[in-house]
Amino acid sequence: FFSQPLTLTFAFLAMCGHGVITLADAEAMKHVEPAVFVFVLYICLVPAMAVLLTLTSAPDDDVGRIFIHGWVKTPMRYFTAGVTAYASYYLILLAFQLGANVAALSAVRQISIPMSVLLGGMMLKEKSMAGRLLWSVLLAIGIAVIIASK
């Protein structure tokens, strides 16, 4: 757990960022429609991520070629990833707009963690899947406790 302090630090920062973004999303849904919010967010996010990808790529990588090659090689994966990412975020925003409890909705979102662990083990051949799955299931149980205590 503490043997990789940099990983732990990034995990902690990601957790804090998730909390701030969740609160911001919930507040934004009091003032704007989910579809408009997602559209404007993606207009800002896509160029920013393209710049980040360009800046963090190896000097000999052609980012444009890599991106286009991915679309040509596996177009349904890219399409499915895009559609499901958009749809899931839109549904979360819609739930906030309908008055969902921010803490409960955020907890329910984390149920995806065990699924991510399974996919990482099966598709990416990550090691130590059993331990990760155990901790992610423990997290899911905690989520159930949060929701049940509401």
Side-chain angles (χ1 to χ4, degrees):
F1 186 68
F2 292 105
S3 65
Q4 297 177 337
L6 185 60
T7 302
L8 181 61
T9 301
F10 280 128
F12 179 77
L13 291 173
M15 178 183 67
C16 292
H18 180 283
V20 169
I21 289 169
T22 300
L23 292 171
D25 286 347
E27 184 63 28
M29 290 307 95
K30 296 176 184 174
H31 307 285
V32 68
E33 291 293 317
V36 173
F37 184 80
V38 173
F39 180 75
V40 171
L41 180 74
Y42 280 12
I43 283 177
C44 298
L45 185 64
V46 169
M49 293 307 291
V51 168
L52 183 64
L53 178 65
T54 301
L55 293 175
T56 58
S57 295
D60 58 338
D61 285 346
D62 179 2
V63 175
R65 184 189 60 76
I66 292 169
F67 183 73
I68 291 170
H69 179 71
W71 268 100
V72 170
K73 187 175 178 184
T74 56
M76 284 310 295
R77 283 188 182 181
Y78 275 65
F79 178 77
T80 303
V83 168
T84 56
Y86 181 90
S88 66
Y89 189 47
Y90 177 81
L91 291 173
I92 289 164
L93 295 176
L94 188 59
F96 282 140
Q97 187 180 46
L98 295 173
N101 179 293
V102 176
L105 183 60
S106 182
V108 170
R109 287 173 76 177
Q110 301 312 312
I111 290 175
S112 66
I113 293 173
M115 181 61 76
S116 299
V117 170
L118 287 171
L119 289 173
M122 293 183 326
M123 298 183 80
L124 302 176
K125 308 294 186 228
E126 291 182 348
K127 306 244 188 281
S128 306
M129 191 171 115
R132 291 178 188 182
L133 188 58
L134 173 70
W135 285 108
S136 67
V137 168
L138 183 62
L139 178 68
I141 291 168
I143 292 165
V145 169
I146 289 171
I147 294 170
S149 68
K150 185 179 176 224

